[in-house]
Amino acid sequence: MMQSKPNLGRHALVLVPYGWLAVFFLMPFLLVLAISLSSVRLGMPPYEPLYAWQGSLLSIRLNLENFVFVLGENTYLLAYLTSLKVAAISTVLMLAIAYPLAYGIASCSPGSRSFLIFLVIVPFWSSMLIRVYAWMSILRNDGLLNSLLLHLGVISEPLRIMNTETAIYIGIVYTYLPFMVLPIYANLSASDRTLIEAARDLGCSRMAAFWRVTFPLSLRGVAAGCALVFIPVIGEFVVPDLLGGADTQMIGRTIWIEFFNNRDWPVASAVTVLLLVILVIPIVLFQTRLSRTSTA
Amino acid sequence: MSGSCRSLMHSVAITSIALLYGQGGARADEKLFIYNFSDYFAEDTISNFAKRTGVDARVDFFDSLEVLETRLLAGGSGFDVTFPSATVGERLIQSGALKPIDASGLKNYKNLDKDLLKLVAEHDPGNQYLVPYMWLTTGIAYNPRLVEERVGGAPTNSLDMFFKPELAQKFQDCGIGIVDAPNEVVPIALNYLGLDPYSTKQEDLDKAKDLLLKLRPYIRHMQSGQLVADMASGQLCLAMMWSGDAGVAAARAEEANNGIAVGYSIPKEGTIISFDTMAVPSDAPDPEQALAFIDYVLEPKTVADISNHVFYANANAAATPLVDEAIRTDPNVYPPAEVRSKLFVDKSLPPRQARERTRVWTAFRAGN
């Protein structure tokens, strides 16, 4: 009897995250899935109900046409691929910036560590939208960056960065960088320094000690950081819409067009469901496996 | 929990209940929620109404009609008066998202231009739901100096500026913008090609797509909300945009005294004429106040002030003499009859056909 009580508490504790997932992930997803199996109509809401009662007869109509349509269209495939490309490139860029940054912070004294981490978090105090707008005024043809470079005589013609893919990368890397820095930092600052001393004692050079000890041990943090930025960037809408040109069509924009321009909620939902099935689920599975192997 | 903490929690709870209650009470009879494009009233339109009636009128803004339409279709938007275009209004009526407006209850309804009411009736048979507000064209805004520098005597009143690649490419470096409105630009392209602007035939749409794709490489962006600022600051030198927005851009450039001018012309090949209207959502919390507000906007003085501020022609015949002379005599804002005859309304298409048109647009945006 004495033992069953903490067990019950432990079970309840495990249920909390599952309950959270059920309410905030599974239920919305099921709603989206339901709409994706419906068809468009003029009305409020603008899609047919999935089921109807005729007396005691319940008829359920599931329409797979939206999926057939989305899979048969080049536009959607292209948008998926563009999103993948942008997410992959910006994840690599962020890793290249965030790892040295996190490593640097982790090797500082505890006092300056917390100050530096505070600096990483400070941008979150203002709205992301305002920060992206700020980038617009920096990157414009007559913006801060161009005026500065022209003034210094580095360039003679303003660089066209605004409304290009470069601007998208700048915006995304800037917006998501803290999500990459924090998990890597958390991992590095918790790593055992004596292991490096041991490696050095056993004849490793500084570089070798880093590559053979520190880096492999930090892989979990790297994987967490990559997943934290890669997945949201695939669906990113605000940054490409405000900073990018019209020629970079990512999946977020595609869903927006289906939802708002075509008023076709079922196709918009089908695109969303496919995004989840094709891209996000495999990534999450891969990530879980990676973090398991690195703990083992 | 300590005593002081408990009393603190107590007062927090009481205050929040009081706040909720207070808000609920005021919401029922003293607030009016308006949903309109940004910069689409005069500066004092709302404050004057509030002063006169004591109603706390609040405005929320949308930046594209698509957002307005989707919010109303989803239901429960909480707005009392909205400003859909007649085309969007037509679909909202068919969807049952709007409440009929009893014109006999509006004492200023008689001020509306009868011819324009007839045109709006193509979207809203019997003028039962939509009260015309402003009307506008989608045309050519240009920076005369930058355009002249690149092409002497450029045909600024012709869509050749966009659709002849040898001309369009000359303006690539100074920047071409275009409104993000497939329901307007695709019909304009079809009409330019001499085809039925409302055609949904694949071969016609393919031709329109080819035409647009040839223009694509020279376009800098398609952010409707950004065009005013970019034309006014000289970031762009040519844009296919709404007549009123071009007027606003010209006025802003003049205010800024930055040496930039913005011209606007209705293309001689013909273009879209659109109407913006006032409508009441079927689930409006306070339809009575909504009608009072609509009646207020129908007063000639109110709407003339708005036209003077936003540079759009209003649909109110009695207001025309009160509109600034520079606006009311501008043939590109209040076009003469022979120009008007070449304008066509933007007809609403059923969802699947609209998709074919949007697909042309998607390809155009993506440039492939």
Side-chain angles (χ1 to χ4, degrees):
Chain A
M1 280 310 279
M2 283 300 281
Q3 279 209 331
S4 79
K5 224 180 175 181
N7 253 345
L8 203 70
R10 200 177 297 162
H11 282 304
L13 213 60
V14 172
L15 276 180
V16 172
Y18 281 106
W20 194 84
L21 272 179
V23 173
F24 294 108
F25 173 74
L26 198 61
M27 274 177 35
F29 177 70
L30 288 178
L31 285 174
V32 171
L33 185 66
I35 298 175
S36 75
L37 293 168
S38 168
S39 46
V40 257
R41 65 160 186 186
L42 266 176
M44 283 173 75
Y47 53 88
E48 300 283 351
L50 278 188
Y51 58 88
W53 283 101
Q54 292 150 321
S56 57
L57 177 75
L58 170 67
S59 58
I60 299 178
R61 287 155 41 105
L62 298 180
N63 178 8
L64 293 176
E65 194 207 329
N66 303 312
F67 288 95
V68 176
F69 175 76
V70 172
L71 290 172
E73 279 291 319
N74 254 344
T75 344
Y76 304 104
L77 181 70
L78 273 174
Y80 281 125
L81 292 177
T82 310
S83 296
L84 264 182
K85 185 188 87 179
V86 171
I89 294 179
S90 35
T91 304
V92 170
L93 288 174
M94 275 184 260
L95 190 60
I97 300 172
Y99 200 99
L101 192 61
Y103 189 84
I105 298 175
S107 42
C108 287
S109 71
S112 29
R113 272 188 199 183
S114 43
F115 177 69
L116 291 169
I117 283 299
F118 166 77
L119 287 185
V120 171
I121 296 169
V122 156
F124 285 113
W125 290 10
S126 66
S127 152
M128 168 189 170
L129 209 55
I130 290 173
R131 287 180 280 135
V132 175
Y133 266 96
W135 274 108
M136 287 171 80
S137 62
I138 295 173
L139 300 177
R140 283 157 58 114
N141 282 9
D142 60 349
L144 286 174
L145 180 68
N146 273 317
S147 322
L148 185 72
L149 291 179
L150 282 171
H151 188 75
L152 293 176
V154 181
I155 48 172
S156 54
E157 286 245 315
L159 295 172
R160 221 171 72 64
I161 304 174
M162 191 58 205
N163 299 321
T164 63
E165 218 161 283
T166 317
I168 299 184
Y169 288 121
I170 294 176
I172 287 181
V173 167
Y174 165 76
T175 314
Y176 286 91
L177 193 63
F179 296 104
M180 184 70 105
V181 174
L182 293 176
I184 297 178
Y185 162 76
N187 188 288
L188 286 174
S189 63
S191 73
D192 191 348
R193 296 262 145 184
T194 53
L195 289 176
I196 298 166
E197 282 168 27
R200 300 274 285 145
D201 287 346
L202 292 170
C204 262
S205 69
R206 254 171 202 281
M207 277 307 262
F210 173 79
W211 285 114
R212 302 181 103 176
V213 181
T214 314
F215 187 73
L217 281 175
S218 66
L219 270 181
R220 270 180 84 187
V222 169
C226 288
L228 267 177
V229 300
F230 188 83
I231 295 172
V233 170
I234 287 178
E236 178 59 41
F237 173 73
V238 174
V239 174
D241 206 51
L242 291 178
L243 299 179
D247 47 354
T248 312
Q249 173 123 357
M250 291 175 60
I251 204 73
R253 179 80 207 178
T254 309
I255 295 173
W256 197 95
I257 287 178
E258 287 303 333
F259 197 67
F260 289 95
N261 283 37
N262 292 337
R263 299 173 300 282
D264 198 332
W265 294 21
V267 163
S269 306
V271 174
T272 312
V273 170
L274 285 174
L275 174 70
L276 201 78
V277 172
I278 300 175
L279 294 181
V280 179
I281 291 180
I283 293 164
V284 172
L285 288 179
F286 174 74
Q287 208 256 326
T288 352
R289 251 191 58 192
L290 190 70
S291 61
R292 270 200 199 129
T293 43
S294 59
T295 18
Chain B
M1 209 184 272
S2 75
S4 61
C5 178
R6 192 172 305 161
S7 64
L8 181 69
M9 294 303 280
H10 210 76
S11 54
V12 166
I14 289 175
T15 327
S16 34
I17 290 168
L19 277 175
L20 281 174
Y21 190 77
Q23 273 185 343
R27 176 78 189 82
D29 48 346
E30 284 179 353
K31 278 189 186 161
L32 180 70
F33 288 85
I34 300 162
Y35 199 30
N36 196 0
F37 268 111
S38 56
D39 295 322
Y40 211 17
F41 284 127
E43 265 155 33
D44 54 2
T45 308
I46 300 299
S47 56
N48 283 347
F49 179 74
K51 246 182 259 161
R52 191 194 296 180
T53 59
V55 169
D56 179 6
R58 299 189 177 187
V59 193
D60 201 353
F61 302 113
F62 51 85
D63 62 355
S64 78
L65 286 165
E66 285 79 16
V67 173
L68 162 74
E69 184 176 6
T70 304
R71 279 190 80 169
L72 291 189
L73 285 181
S77 64
F79 294 111
D80 300 300
V81 185
T82 61
F83 288 71
S85 72
T87 323
V88 166
E90 180 179 346
R91 286 191 300 263
L92 289 171
I93 294 168
Q94 289 162 5
S95 306
L98 297 181
K99 198 190 270 303
I101 289 175
D102 179 14
S104 66
L106 299 170
K107 61 180 194 302
N108 296 312
Y109 196 82
K110 57 179 193 307
N111 295 335
L112 288 169
D113 185 316
K114 302 284 175 296
D115 292 337
L116 294 176
L117 272 174
K118 255 181 242 155
L119 278 172
V120 173
E122 284 192 30
H123 301 283
D124 170 20
N127 295 107
Q128 292 183 63
Y129 295 87
L130 306 173
V131 180
Y133 178 59
M134 299 281 160
W135 60 280
L136 55 133
T137 51
T138 307
I140 303 158
Y142 57 97
N143 180 321
R145 186 177 58 83
L146 293 178
V147 165
E148 189 63 31
E149 272 171 18
R150 282 158 184 85
V151 181
T156 51
N157 66 340
S158 166
L159 290 169
D160 290 348
M161 297 281 281
F162 295 92
F163 294 140
K164 286 246 159 77
E166 63 273 21
L167 256 176
Q169 67 175 356
K170 300 242 167 69
F171 306 115
Q172 181 185 13
D173 67 315
C174 60
I176 304 181
I178 192 163
V179 283
D180 187 5
N183 58 320
E184 296 178 16
V185 180
V186 177
I188 288 172
L190 285 165
N191 183 67
Y192 175 83
L193 290 168
L195 301 165
D196 172 11
Y198 311 117
S199 175
T200 52
K201 272 189 258 162
Q202 199 55 54
E203 57 190 276
D204 290 356
L205 287 170
D206 282 344
K207 283 182 202 153
K209 183 169 142 184
D210 287 344
L211 186 70
L212 287 167
L213 282 180
K214 276 191 211 121
L215 162 66
R216 180 66 192 84
Y218 313 122
I219 290 196
R220 186 157 310 162
H221 71 72
M222 300 174 207
Q223 289 153 336
S224 318
Q226 201 59 41
L227 294 175
V228 170
D230 284 354
M231 284 304 297
S233 63
Q235 293 270 311
L236 295 174
C237 62
L238 181 65
M240 192 183 291
M241 66 194 281
W242 298 310
S243 49
D245 279 4
V248 174
R252 283 211 191 147
E254 203 171 316
E255 265 168 42
N257 207 4
N258 55 4
I260 286 165
V262 180
Y264 176 82
S265 54
I266 295 178
K268 64 174 202 271
E269 294 87 352
T271 186
I272 290 259
I273 174 172
S274 343
F275 295 90
D276 283 332
T277 70
M278 296 180 271
V280 181
S282 55
D283 53 3
D286 196 343
E288 228 165 278
Q289 281 299 344
L291 288 184
F293 182 78
I294 290 174
D295 210 23
Y296 160 74
V297 173
L298 288 175
E299 284 173 20
K301 171 82 171 75
T302 313
V303 79
D305 281 350
I306 301 175
S307 278
N308 290 338
H309 184 73
V310 303
F311 300 89
Y312 280 101
N314 61 64
N316 198 309
T320 311
L322 301 174
V323 174
D324 289 346
E325 197 187 340
I327 298 175
R328 109 176 96 89
T329 55
D330 184 339
N332 288 311
V333 181
Y334 281 85
E338 80 270 11
V339 178
R340 265 212 226 184
S341 67
K342 284 215 172 152
L343 304 176
F344 46 92
V345 298
D346 152 27
K347 234 197 276 182
S348 179
L349 296 178
R352 287 288 142 128
Q353 286 174 18
R355 167 190 303 288
E356 296 304 322
R357 199 153 77 177
T358 315
R359 186 161 314 139
V360 172
W361 193 249
T362 311
F364 172 52
R365 280 186 66 101
N368 53 42

mmCIF file of all heavy atoms in Angstrom, chain B residues 301-333:
data_model
loop_
_atom_site.group_PDB
_atom_site.id
_atom_site.type_symbol
_atom_site.label_atom_id
_atom_site.label_comp_id
_atom_site.label_asym_id
_atom_site.label_seq_id
_atom_site.Cartn_x
_atom_site.Cartn_y
_atom_site.Cartn_z
ATOM 1 N N LYS B 301 -21.224 65.526 -46.204
ATOM 2 C CA LYS B 301 -20.031 66.142 -45.605
ATOM 3 C C LYS B 301 -19.037 65.064 -45.134
ATOM 4 O O LYS B 301 -17.833 65.155 -45.367
ATOM 5 C CB LYS B 301 -20.493 67.003 -44.418
ATOM 6 C CG LYS B 301 -19.392 67.562 -43.536
ATOM 7 C CD LYS B 301 -18.796 68.827 -44.133
ATOM 8 C CE LYS B 301 -17.841 69.521 -43.168
ATOM 9 N NZ LYS B 301 -16.555 68.836 -43.052
ATOM 10 N N THR B 302 -19.566 64.014 -44.464
ATOM 11 C CA THR B 302 -18.687 62.972 -43.941
ATOM 12 C C THR B 302 -17.892 62.320 -45.056
ATOM 13 O O THR B 302 -16.662 62.208 -45.001
ATOM 14 C CB THR B 302 -19.512 61.882 -43.239
ATOM 15 O OG1 THR B 302 -20.454 62.483 -42.377
ATOM 16 C CG2 THR B 302 -18.620 60.934 -42.474
ATOM 17 N N VAL B 303 -18.610 61.878 -46.105
ATOM 18 C CA VAL B 303 -17.943 61.076 -47.131
ATOM 19 C C VAL B 303 -17.061 61.953 -48.013
ATOM 20 O O VAL B 303 -16.027 61.515 -48.513
ATOM 21 C CB VAL B 303 -18.991 60.238 -47.918
ATOM 22 C CG1 VAL B 303 -19.700 61.064 -48.948
ATOM 23 C CG2 VAL B 303 -18.342 59.007 -48.510
ATOM 24 N N ALA B 304 -17.435 63.240 -48.181
ATOM 25 C CA ALA B 304 -16.576 64.142 -48.962
ATOM 26 C C ALA B 304 -15.245 64.322 -48.235
ATOM 27 O O ALA B 304 -14.180 64.312 -48.856
ATOM 28 C CB ALA B 304 -17.269 65.481 -49.176
ATOM 29 N N ASP B 305 -15.303 64.462 -46.908
ATOM 30 C CA ASP B 305 -14.065 64.573 -46.129
ATOM 31 C C ASP B 305 -13.193 63.339 -46.311
ATOM 32 O O ASP B 305 -11.965 63.429 -46.405
ATOM 33 C CB ASP B 305 -14.386 64.727 -44.630
ATOM 34 C CG ASP B 305 -14.796 66.156 -44.300
ATOM 35 O OD1 ASP B 305 -14.642 67.026 -45.179
ATOM 36 O OD2 ASP B 305 -15.278 66.377 -43.168
ATOM 37 N N ILE B 306 -13.848 62.164 -46.343
ATOM 38 C CA ILE B 306 -13.069 60.935 -46.515
ATOM 39 C C ILE B 306 -12.406 60.937 -47.893
ATOM 40 O O ILE B 306 -11.218 60.661 -48.024
ATOM 41 C CB ILE B 306 -13.953 59.685 -46.319
ATOM 42 C CG1 ILE B 306 -14.570 59.693 -44.919
ATOM 43 C CG2 ILE B 306 -13.132 58.414 -46.527
ATOM 44 C CD1 ILE B 306 -15.541 58.566 -44.659
ATOM 45 N N SER B 307 -13.178 61.280 -48.940
ATOM 46 C CA SER B 307 -12.595 61.327 -50.290
ATOM 47 C C SER B 307 -11.403 62.272 -50.339
ATOM 48 O O SER B 307 -10.386 61.969 -50.960
ATOM 49 C CB SER B 307 -13.642 61.788 -51.315
ATOM 50 O OG SER B 307 -14.449 60.721 -51.707
ATOM 51 N N ASN B 308 -11.529 63.428 -49.681
ATOM 52 C CA ASN B 308 -10.431 64.391 -49.694
ATOM 53 C C ASN B 308 -9.192 63.827 -49.016
ATOM 54 O O ASN B 308 -8.074 64.221 -49.322
ATOM 55 C CB ASN B 308 -10.855 65.679 -48.973
ATOM 56 C CG ASN B 308 -11.877 66.434 -49.776
ATOM 57 O OD1 ASN B 308 -11.968 66.257 -50.993
ATOM 58 N ND2 ASN B 308 -12.659 67.260 -49.107
ATOM 59 N N HIS B 309 -9.421 62.901 -48.112
ATOM 60 C CA HIS B 309 -8.293 62.324 -47.379
ATOM 61 C C HIS B 309 -7.709 61.113 -48.091
ATOM 62 O O HIS B 309 -6.503 60.917 -48.109
ATOM 63 C CB HIS B 309 -8.755 61.938 -45.973
ATOM 64 C CG HIS B 309 -7.666 61.418 -45.097
ATOM 65 N ND1 HIS B 309 -6.696 62.232 -44.566
ATOM 66 C CD2 HIS B 309 -7.376 60.167 -44.668
ATOM 67 C CE1 HIS B 309 -5.862 61.516 -43.853
ATOM 68 N NE2 HIS B 309 -6.251 60.256 -43.894
ATOM 69 N N VAL B 310 -8.567 60.290 -48.681
ATOM 70 C CA VAL B 310 -8.080 59.013 -49.232
ATOM 71 C C VAL B 310 -7.943 59.021 -50.758
ATOM 72 O O VAL B 310 -7.471 58.055 -51.347
ATOM 73 C CB VAL B 310 -8.970 57.816 -48.796
ATOM 74 C CG1 VAL B 310 -9.053 57.731 -47.291
ATOM 75 C CG2 VAL B 310 -10.345 57.890 -49.411
ATOM 76 N N PHE B 311 -8.392 60.102 -51.422
ATOM 77 C CA PHE B 311 -8.246 60.243 -52.871
ATOM 78 C C PHE B 311 -9.011 59.198 -53.677
ATOM 79 O O PHE B 311 -8.600 58.823 -54.761
ATOM 80 C CB PHE B 311 -6.768 60.265 -53.280
ATOM 81 C CG PHE B 311 -6.009 61.395 -52.646
ATOM 82 C CD1 PHE B 311 -5.397 61.231 -51.417
ATOM 83 C CD2 PHE B 311 -5.945 62.637 -53.262
ATOM 84 C CE1 PHE B 311 -4.718 62.281 -50.804
ATOM 85 C CE2 PHE B 311 -5.267 63.685 -52.666
ATOM 86 C CZ PHE B 311 -4.650 63.510 -51.427
ATOM 87 N N TYR B 312 -10.093 58.691 -53.114
ATOM 88 C CA TYR B 312 -10.966 57.813 -53.883
ATOM 89 C C TYR B 312 -12.251 58.563 -54.202
ATOM 90 O O TYR B 312 -12.697 59.409 -53.422
ATOM 91 C CB TYR B 312 -11.320 56.552 -53.077
ATOM 92 C CG TYR B 312 -10.241 55.501 -53.075
ATOM 93 C CD1 TYR B 312 -9.393 55.344 -51.983
ATOM 94 C CD2 TYR B 312 -10.078 54.659 -54.172
ATOM 95 C CE1 TYR B 312 -8.401 54.377 -51.979
ATOM 96 C CE2 TYR B 312 -9.083 53.700 -54.168
ATOM 97 C CZ TYR B 312 -8.251 53.561 -53.077
ATOM 98 O OH TYR B 312 -7.272 52.609 -53.086
ATOM 99 N N ALA B 313 -12.859 58.237 -55.356
ATOM 100 C CA ALA B 313 -14.159 58.804 -55.710
ATOM 101 C C ALA B 313 -15.201 58.107 -54.862
ATOM 102 O O ALA B 313 -15.199 56.876 -54.759
ATOM 103 C CB ALA B 313 -14.434 58.576 -57.182
ATOM 104 N N ASN B 314 -16.114 58.875 -54.233
ATOM 105 C CA ASN B 314 -17.156 58.205 -53.466
ATOM 106 C C ASN B 314 -18.403 58.003 -54.311
ATOM 107 O O ASN B 314 -18.526 58.548 -55.405
ATOM 108 C CB ASN B 314 -17.454 58.970 -52.172
ATOM 109 C CG ASN B 314 -17.951 60.361 -52.447
ATOM 110 O OD1 ASN B 314 -19.009 60.537 -53.032
ATOM 111 N ND2 ASN B 314 -17.169 61.367 -52.057
ATOM 112 N N ALA B 315 -19.321 57.201 -53.801
ATOM 113 C CA ALA B 315 -20.507 56.825 -54.563
ATOM 114 C C ALA B 315 -21.683 57.725 -54.219
ATOM 115 O O ALA B 315 -22.819 57.412 -54.514
ATOM 116 C CB ALA B 315 -20.858 55.366 -54.268
ATOM 117 N N ASN B 316 -21.382 58.876 -53.594
ATOM 118 C CA ASN B 316 -22.414 59.738 -53.057
ATOM 119 C C ASN B 316 -22.552 60.955 -53.964
ATOM 120 O O ASN B 316 -21.692 61.835 -53.978
ATOM 121 C CB ASN B 316 -21.966 60.156 -51.650
ATOM 122 C CG ASN B 316 -23.095 60.685 -50.821
ATOM 123 O OD1 ASN B 316 -23.832 61.560 -51.266
ATOM 124 N ND2 ASN B 316 -23.233 60.160 -49.618
ATOM 125 N N ALA B 317 -23.653 61.009 -54.764
ATOM 126 C CA ALA B 317 -23.811 62.089 -55.745
ATOM 127 C C ALA B 317 -23.871 63.440 -55.053
ATOM 128 O O ALA B 317 -23.301 64.421 -55.538
ATOM 129 C CB ALA B 317 -25.064 61.856 -56.579
ATOM 130 N N ALA B 318 -24.524 63.493 -53.903
ATOM 131 C CA ALA B 318 -24.686 64.775 -53.209
ATOM 132 C C ALA B 318 -23.366 65.281 -52.636
ATOM 133 O O ALA B 318 -23.247 66.454 -52.283
ATOM 134 C CB ALA B 318 -25.717 64.634 -52.092
ATOM 135 N N ALA B 319 -22.378 64.408 -52.544
ATOM 136 C CA ALA B 319 -21.112 64.805 -51.928
ATOM 137 C C ALA B 319 -20.133 65.399 -52.933
ATOM 138 O O ALA B 319 -19.186 66.087 -52.551
ATOM 139 C CB ALA B 319 -20.467 63.609 -51.239
ATOM 140 N N THR B 320 -20.337 65.143 -54.229
ATOM 141 C CA THR B 320 -19.353 65.546 -55.239
ATOM 142 C C THR B 320 -18.970 67.032 -55.139
ATOM 143 O O THR B 320 -17.779 67.348 -55.151
ATOM 144 C CB THR B 320 -19.850 65.191 -56.651
ATOM 145 O OG1 THR B 320 -20.294 63.837 -56.635
ATOM 146 C CG2 THR B 320 -18.756 65.352 -57.681
ATOM 147 N N PRO B 321 -19.943 67.964 -55.004
ATOM 148 C CA PRO B 321 -19.537 69.377 -54.927
ATOM 149 C C PRO B 321 -18.662 69.692 -53.717
ATOM 150 O O PRO B 321 -17.927 70.679 -53.737
ATOM 151 C CB PRO B 321 -20.873 70.132 -54.814
ATOM 152 C CG PRO B 321 -21.937 69.158 -55.127
ATOM 153 C CD PRO B 321 -21.400 67.792 -54.954
ATOM 154 N N LEU B 322 -18.725 68.863 -52.687
ATOM 155 C CA LEU B 322 -17.946 69.130 -51.469
ATOM 156 C C LEU B 322 -16.535 68.548 -51.545
ATOM 157 O O LEU B 322 -15.704 68.807 -50.678
ATOM 158 C CB LEU B 322 -18.656 68.550 -50.237
ATOM 159 C CG LEU B 322 -20.068 69.069 -49.953
ATOM 160 C CD1 LEU B 322 -20.698 68.310 -48.798
ATOM 161 C CD2 LEU B 322 -20.015 70.560 -49.635
ATOM 162 N N VAL B 323 -16.288 67.727 -52.588
ATOM 163 C CA VAL B 323 -14.957 67.127 -52.734
ATOM 164 C C VAL B 323 -14.014 68.179 -53.317
ATOM 165 O O VAL B 323 -14.416 68.980 -54.170
ATOM 166 C CB VAL B 323 -15.039 65.893 -53.660
ATOM 167 C CG1 VAL B 323 -13.660 65.334 -53.961
ATOM 168 C CG2 VAL B 323 -15.925 64.823 -53.040
ATOM 169 N N ASP B 324 -12.750 68.199 -52.840
ATOM 170 C CA ASP B 324 -11.762 69.161 -53.352
ATOM 171 C C ASP B 324 -11.761 69.173 -54.873
ATOM 172 O O ASP B 324 -11.800 68.111 -55.509
ATOM 173 C CB ASP B 324 -10.346 68.769 -52.881
ATOM 174 C CG ASP B 324 -10.167 68.999 -51.391
ATOM 175 O OD1 ASP B 324 -11.017 69.698 -50.806
ATOM 176 O OD2 ASP B 324 -9.199 68.454 -50.827
ATOM 177 N N GLU B 325 -11.623 70.362 -55.451
ATOM 178 C CA GLU B 325 -11.708 70.480 -56.899
ATOM 179 C C GLU B 325 -10.639 69.629 -57.579
ATOM 180 O O GLU B 325 -10.889 68.976 -58.585
ATOM 181 C CB GLU B 325 -11.568 71.948 -57.293
ATOM 182 C CG GLU B 325 -12.058 72.194 -58.704
ATOM 183 C CD GLU B 325 -11.778 73.612 -59.177
ATOM 184 O OE1 GLU B 325 -11.553 74.491 -58.322
ATOM 185 O OE2 GLU B 325 -11.787 73.802 -60.407
ATOM 186 N N ALA B 326 -9.442 69.618 -57.007
ATOM 187 C CA ALA B 326 -8.343 68.881 -57.627
ATOM 188 C C ALA B 326 -8.684 67.402 -57.777
ATOM 189 O O ALA B 326 -8.247 66.744 -58.727
ATOM 190 C CB ALA B 326 -7.079 69.037 -56.792
ATOM 191 N N ILE B 327 -9.466 66.863 -56.852
ATOM 192 C CA ILE B 327 -9.820 65.446 -56.922
ATOM 193 C C ILE B 327 -11.012 65.245 -57.833
ATOM 194 O O ILE B 327 -11.013 64.383 -58.712
ATOM 195 C CB ILE B 327 -10.131 64.906 -55.502
ATOM 196 C CG1 ILE B 327 -8.890 65.015 -54.614
ATOM 197 C CG2 ILE B 327 -10.628 63.471 -55.570
ATOM 198 C CD1 ILE B 327 -9.127 64.617 -53.175
ATOM 199 N N ARG B 328 -12.023 66.095 -57.650
ATOM 200 C CA ARG B 328 -13.270 65.852 -58.401
ATOM 201 C C ARG B 328 -13.095 66.127 -59.890
ATOM 202 O O ARG B 328 -13.824 65.608 -60.721
ATOM 203 C CB ARG B 328 -14.392 66.648 -57.740
ATOM 204 C CG ARG B 328 -14.971 67.832 -58.421
ATOM 205 C CD ARG B 328 -16.126 68.361 -57.595
ATOM 206 N NE ARG B 328 -15.693 69.452 -56.737
ATOM 207 C CZ ARG B 328 -15.707 70.742 -57.133
ATOM 208 N NH1 ARG B 328 -16.131 71.059 -58.330
ATOM 209 N NH2 ARG B 328 -15.308 71.679 -56.320
ATOM 210 N N THR B 329 -12.101 66.956 -60.283
ATOM 211 C CA THR B 329 -11.899 67.227 -61.709
ATOM 212 C C THR B 329 -10.782 66.356 -62.294
ATOM 213 O O THR B 329 -10.452 66.476 -63.464
ATOM 214 C CB THR B 329 -11.530 68.706 -61.937
ATOM 215 O OG1 THR B 329 -10.387 69.001 -61.134
ATOM 216 C CG2 THR B 329 -12.688 69.610 -61.563
ATOM 217 N N ASP B 330 -10.187 65.494 -61.475
ATOM 218 C CA ASP B 330 -9.124 64.622 -61.978
ATOM 219 C C ASP B 330 -9.739 63.476 -62.785
ATOM 220 O O ASP B 330 -10.435 62.631 -62.227
ATOM 221 C CB ASP B 330 -8.333 64.064 -60.780
ATOM 222 C CG ASP B 330 -7.143 63.233 -61.218
ATOM 223 O OD1 ASP B 330 -7.147 62.766 -62.382
ATOM 224 O OD2 ASP B 330 -6.226 63.039 -60.408
ATOM 225 N N PRO B 331 -9.473 63.455 -64.101
ATOM 226 C CA PRO B 331 -10.126 62.428 -64.932
ATOM 227 C C PRO B 331 -9.716 61.008 -64.544
ATOM 228 O O PRO B 331 -10.385 60.044 -64.925
ATOM 229 C CB PRO B 331 -9.664 62.758 -66.352
ATOM 230 C CG PRO B 331 -8.418 63.560 -66.171
ATOM 231 C CD PRO B 331 -8.573 64.305 -64.878
ATOM 232 N N ASN B 332 -8.621 60.887 -63.787
ATOM 233 C CA ASN B 332 -8.204 59.544 -63.394
ATOM 234 C C ASN B 332 -8.862 59.096 -62.095
ATOM 235 O O ASN B 332 -8.760 57.946 -61.708
ATOM 236 C CB ASN B 332 -6.684 59.477 -63.274
ATOM 237 C CG ASN B 332 -6.042 59.519 -64.642
ATOM 238 O OD1 ASN B 332 -6.449 58.774 -65.530
ATOM 239 N ND2 ASN B 332 -5.087 60.404 -64.830
ATOM 240 N N VAL B 333 -9.549 60.006 -61.419
ATOM 241 C CA VAL B 333 -10.287 59.634 -60.211
ATOM 242 C C VAL B 333 -11.783 59.607 -60.517
ATOM 243 O O VAL B 333 -12.476 58.636 -60.227
ATOM 244 C CB VAL B 333 -9.987 60.602 -59.049
ATOM 245 C CG1 VAL B 333 -10.755 60.174 -57.807
ATOM 246 C CG2 VAL B 333 -8.499 60.626 -58.745
#
